[in-house]
């Protein structure tokens, strides 16, 4: 799914904990369940849930549970922050001449001076923050078990207090129909549930008690991002709300905390919103939670029904050894590393990929970014952005062939926004019609080259055009082909027709049309002069696209 997180998440979901935790012996799980005997220690070991718009990583800790929360639109930066270089179009013929003459380094230097935008880098997708659940009396537990049920889309933690043997259960899921993250805390001995809740973020936010409702916590903030020209604040505003609905007991709110005491159980409804699409983040959070305030059993049933509507469309049977379901997932992975066979784990891995796409890309949301919808930092690796030179395409390769056609739609919505800004870049940068996007983008429609001269790779739109065509091939939807796919493909093709240039005499491809400037992403080559270069014309990858 995502090159830098999918494999590490699947292969690293194992952790330790500083408390005395005695694991469950002989725990039962189905073929679509990832399960573990220990809480997560690192972020990549936590279990992901998501509804396309909201995401959470559930650590399964005992005394201080961490549920890390994301909202898809919470990005640093602002629209129009990166402006195309006004020198680019004038310099293009000279850059081409130098490349055709084999003066690669001179072309590279000129491109760096004339073709990069200001600033040359985009900003990062950011974490929203953490919901912390403190359990004061959980000093030693036994029968610990945590799982992610891929078939239900629910992360569960179970354990018993060691001395009293009282069972405790937590369930977490991100609901598509109710547009919130749902957390349920249950202590099976009446009146024994006691926890303290807190919302936190590294910076740019404060946690408040709702003055009108002791049962509500509010995380409110604005990203610190001044306008490059005026210095005025331009950062995105955001909020997250947690509404506590207890069964019995008491709830008190003070000093940015909520304390639940002597309850049988508690239902937490978590929402988050930004002002990216307009509107008040506070009003949106209140609206979402109000609409989702219904009995837990109903919330769960609605979520599972919608989740299984997509998940159960595909089954994969590679043969299995049922006895291996008795082993936790980390032990099964270690067994395979040592040469053991586990076809059931391979099938589970395949379904985990479908699960990640379902959880980070639903109609009406943004497409899955470099890490899906999950990110726990303010400056994510590679900004957790949209890398259009491979990663966005990789995210969506499973969409049609794995019967998740609806999950493909956010990519087409995103392409529509890129086509608008990309047409301006095509004109200003290359004097071309149609639309262009280079090797990366963000949610503000960035389409110019970025980072360095390796960012001068103007075939991203052409490669993305494969996706609406594939969607049509699988759905047979001629209305989609006419209204949406054709304009996107036509615009990408028009740009390529205008961008292609005839190679001059004396070059190996004289008289042929080729891309120039060009390079193959993340590759270098040895020139006829024996030097290393990455800048060229008619790179093989361009020709293939």
């Amino acid at each position: 799914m995502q090159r830098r997180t999918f494999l590490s998440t699947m292969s690293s979901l194992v952790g330790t904990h500083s408390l005395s935790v005695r694991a469950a012996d002989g725990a039962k799980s189905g073929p679509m369940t990832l399960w573990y005997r220990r809480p997560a220690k690192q972020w990549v070991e936590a279990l992901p849930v998501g509804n396309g718009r909201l995401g959470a990583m559930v650590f399964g800790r005992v005394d201080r549970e961490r549920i890390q929360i994301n909202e898809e639109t919470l990005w640093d930066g602002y629209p129009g922050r990166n402006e195309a270089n006004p020198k680019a179009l004038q310099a293009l013929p000279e850059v081409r001449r130098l490349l055709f003459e084999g003066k690669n380094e001179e072309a590279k230097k000129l491109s760096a001076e004339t073709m990069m935008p200001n600033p040359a880098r985009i900003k990062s997708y950011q974490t929203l923050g953490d919901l912390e659940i403190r359990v004061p009396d959980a000093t030693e537990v036994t029968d610990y078990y945590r799982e992610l049920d891929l078939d239900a889309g629910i992360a569960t933690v179970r354990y018993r207090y060691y001395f009293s043997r009282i069972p405790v259960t937590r369930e977490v899921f991100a609901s598509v129909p109710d547009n919130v993250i749902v957390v349920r805390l249950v202590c099976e001995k009446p009146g024994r549930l006691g926890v303290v809740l807190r919302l936190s973020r590294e910076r740019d936010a404060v946690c408040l008690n709702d003055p009108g409702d002791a049962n509500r916590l509010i995380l409110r903030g604005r990203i610190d991002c001044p306008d490059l020209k005026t210095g005025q604040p331009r950062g995105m505003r955001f909020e997250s709300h947690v509404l506590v609905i207890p069964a019995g007991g008491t709830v008190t709110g003070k000093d940015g905390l909520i304390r639940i005491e002597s309850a049988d159980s508690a239902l937490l409804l978590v929402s988050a919103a930004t002002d990216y699409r307009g509107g008040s983040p506070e009003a949106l959070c209140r609206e979402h939670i109000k609409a989702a305030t219904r009995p837990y059993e109903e919330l769960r049933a609605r979520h599972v029904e919608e989740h299984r509507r997509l998940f159960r469309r595909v089954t994969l049977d590679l043969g299995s050894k049922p006895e291996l379901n008795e082993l936790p997932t980390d032990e099964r992975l270690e067994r395979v590393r040592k040469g053991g066979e586990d076809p059931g784990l391979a099938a589970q891995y395949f379904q985990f990929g479908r699960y990640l796409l379902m959880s980070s890309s639903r109609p009406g949301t943004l497409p899955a970014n470099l890490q899906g919808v999950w990110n726990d930092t303010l400056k994510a690796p590679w900004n957790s952005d949209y890398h259009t030179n491979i990663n966005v395409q990789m995210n969506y390769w499973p969409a049609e062939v794995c019967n998740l056609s609806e999950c493909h739609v956010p990519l087409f919505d995103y392409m529509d926004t890129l086509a608008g800004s990309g047409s301006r870049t095509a004109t200003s940068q290359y004097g071309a019609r149609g639309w262009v996007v280079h090797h990366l983008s963000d949610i503000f429609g960035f389409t110019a080259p970025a980072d360095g001269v390796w960012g001068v790779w103007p075939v991203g739109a052409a490669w993305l055009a494969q996706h609406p065509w594939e969607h049509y091939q699988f759905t047979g939807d001629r209305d989609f082909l006419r209204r949406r796919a054709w304009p996107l493909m036509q615009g990408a093709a028009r740009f390529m027709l205008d961008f292609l240039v005839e190679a001059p005499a004396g070059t190996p491809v004289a008289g042929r049309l080729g891309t120039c400037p060009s390079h193959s992403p993340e590759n270098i080559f040895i020139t006829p002069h024996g030097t290393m270069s990455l800048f060229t014309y008619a790179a093989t990858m361009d020709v293939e696209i």
Side-chain angles (χ1 to χ4, degrees):
M1 291 295 295
Q2 292 82 31
R3 177 174 66 181
R4 299 176 177 94
T5 57
F6 180 64
L7 294 176
S8 64
T9 301
M10 194 62 182
S11 63
S12 301
L13 288 173
V14 55
T16 59
H17 201 265
S18 58
L19 293 177
S20 176
V21 177
R22 290 168 172 79
D25 293 323
K28 303 292 184 181
S29 67
M32 287 298 103
T33 302
L34 286 66
W35 73 275
Y36 307 88
R37 291 190 171 110
R38 296 278 177 175
K41 186 176 182 180
Q42 304 177 55
W43 182 78
V44 293
E45 299 165 358
L47 297 173
V49 297
N51 67 0
R53 190 180 73 84
L54 301 174
M57 294 289 277
V58 184
F59 282 64
R61 294 174 178 172
V62 174
D63 63 331
R64 187 165 290 197
E65 171 67 296
R66 179 188 176 194
I67 301 176
Q68 184 268 317
I69 302 168
N70 286 104
E71 203 279 349
E72 61 166 358
T73 64
L74 188 57
W75 280 66
D76 199 354
Y78 53 85
R81 178 179 171 275
N82 302 74
E83 296 182 352
N85 196 318
K87 301 177 183 178
L89 184 57
Q90 183 178 353
L92 180 62
E94 180 65 6
V95 170
R96 285 173 164 167
R97 183 187 69 80
L98 291 169
L99 286 172
F100 282 131
E101 293 180 2
K103 299 175 181 178
N104 301 67
E105 287 305 304
E106 293 178 46
K108 176 182 174 183
K109 181 180 178 182
L110 181 59
S111 294
E113 294 171 352
T114 61
M115 303 190 80
M116 304 310 298
N118 181 33
R121 295 183 182 273
I122 65 170
K123 293 281 195 174
S124 180
Y125 175 56
Q126 293 194 349
T127 178
L128 181 80
D130 291 346
L131 170 61
E132 185 180 279
I133 304 172
R134 302 178 195 169
V135 187
D137 56 350
T139 56
E140 192 170 8
V141 303
T142 188
D143 296 337
Y144 180 89
Y145 173 89
R146 70 180 174 113
E147 71 169 26
L148 176 62
D149 183 345
L150 299 177
D151 182 55
I154 298 175
T156 302
V157 178
R158 294 196 295 270
Y159 58 84
R160 294 175 183 267
Y161 291 118
Y162 183 65
F163 293 106
S164 66
R165 308 291 294 174
I166 298 172
V168 174
T169 303
R170 298 188 204 122
E171 288 189 332
V172 184
F173 57 86
S175 171
V176 170
D178 289 300
N179 205 11
V180 293
I181 296 170
V182 177
V183 182
R184 193 193 191 204
L185 313 174
V186 178
C187 182
E188 293 189 20
K189 184 172 182 178
R192 286 296 302 273
L193 178 67
V195 298
V196 179
L197 309 177
R198 182 172 77 107
L199 284 170
S200 63
R201 193 174 195 265
E202 183 179 332
R203 68 165 188 260
D204 300 339
V206 294
C207 184
L208 309 166
N209 296 100
D210 187 342
D213 187 353
N215 291 36
R216 186 185 296 256
L217 274 180
I218 299 173
L219 183 74
R220 178 173 294 155
R222 184 176 193 179
I223 295 175
D224 181 14
C225 183
D227 190 288
L228 287 171
K229 295 178 180 178
T230 68
Q232 295 299 308
R234 291 291 303 275
M236 199 173 292
R237 299 180 188 275
F238 60 91
E239 288 204 11
S240 179
H241 290 204
V242 178
L243 180 67
V244 177
I245 305 173
T250 61
V251 176
T252 55
K254 185 179 180 182
D255 300 328
L257 303 172
I258 282 184
R259 186 180 301 274
I260 305 171
E261 296 178 293
S262 304
D264 301 339
S265 65
L267 173 61
L268 313 181
L269 301 181
V270 184
S271 189
T274 74
D275 60 0
Y276 170 71
R277 296 186 176 97
S280 159
E282 178 182 7
L284 290 168
C285 285
R286 292 186 183 278
E287 175 186 325
H288 296 156
I289 287 180
K290 181 179 179 181
T293 303
R294 59 183 78 230
Y296 175 75
E297 292 74 16
E298 186 177 347
L299 288 167
R300 191 182 193 280
R302 284 160 57 87
H303 160 73
V304 170
E305 180 182 14
E306 166 58 23
H307 180 84
R308 288 177 174 167
R309 182 180 68 84
L310 271 63
F311 189 81
R312 288 188 171 181
R313 288 176 178 173
V314 172
T315 59
L316 178 63
D317 186 355
L318 301 177
S320 63
K321 300 178 180 180
E323 66 274 13
L324 294 179
N325 291 333
E326 305 291 322
L327 295 177
T329 303
D330 52 299
E331 292 184 18
R332 293 176 72 175
L333 284 166
E334 186 60 29
R335 183 178 175 276
V336 170
R337 288 190 188 102
K338 293 177 179 179
E341 293 186 358
D342 194 339
L345 187 64
Q348 188 182 94
Y349 190 25
F350 164 79
Q351 293 287 21
F352 185 57
R354 295 181 66 245
Y355 172 87
L356 290 176
L357 183 60
M358 285 175 53
S359 301
S360 56
S361 183
R362 290 294 189 106
T365 72
L366 291 172
N369 64 41
L370 197 60
Q371 295 181 185
V373 73
W374 304 278
N375 164 44
D376 69 330
T377 64
L378 300 180
K379 181 67 172 67
W382 291 270
N383 295 313
S384 202
D385 60 28
Y386 295 104
H387 261 63
T388 53
N389 66 359
I390 182 58
N391 298 101
V392 171
Q393 291 88 346
M394 288 174 68
N395 284 350
Y396 287 92
W397 286 342
E400 303 295 337
V401 294
C402 293
N403 211 348
L404 294 174
S405 193
E406 299 97 321
C407 297
H408 215 166
V409 172
L411 180 61
F412 311 140
D413 296 339
Y414 183 61
M415 289 171 65
D416 285 339
T417 68
L418 293 180
S421 56
S423 65
R424 295 188 292 274
T425 301
T427 300
S428 64
Q429 194 100 11
Y430 303 104
R433 300 168 299 164
W435 67 283
V436 63
V437 60
H438 293 75
H439 86 295
L440 59 80
S441 189
D442 59 15
I443 64 170
F444 303 114
F446 178 76
T447 53
D451 293 346
V453 292
W454 55 89
V456 185
W457 182 79
V459 294
W463 200 2
L464 285 172
Q466 177 184 2
H467 286 266
W469 174 247
E470 187 176 60
H471 184 72
Y472 164 70
Q473 286 184 307
F474 274 81
T475 63
D477 187 342
R478 294 181 67 86
D479 185 58
F480 168 82
L481 177 64
R482 181 177 61 254
R483 291 187 306 103
R484 303 203 62 188
W486 171 247
L488 289 169
M489 294 187 295
Q490 182 186 48
R494 273 184 175 151
F495 172 79
M496 293 308 303
L497 287 171
D498 288 355
F499 177 68
L500 293 172
V501 61
E502 184 176 328
T507 61
V509 290
R512 296 191 177 189
L513 293 176
T515 55
C516 185
S518 170
H519 77 275
S520 182
E522 302 188 23
N523 278 287
I524 58 175
F525 62 93
I526 301 174
T527 71
H529 308 294
T531 59
M532 308 289 283
S533 181
L534 55 79
F535 221 30
T536 185
Y537 57 89
T540 301
M541 185 172 181
D542 287 2
V543 175
E544 290 175 340
I545 291 172

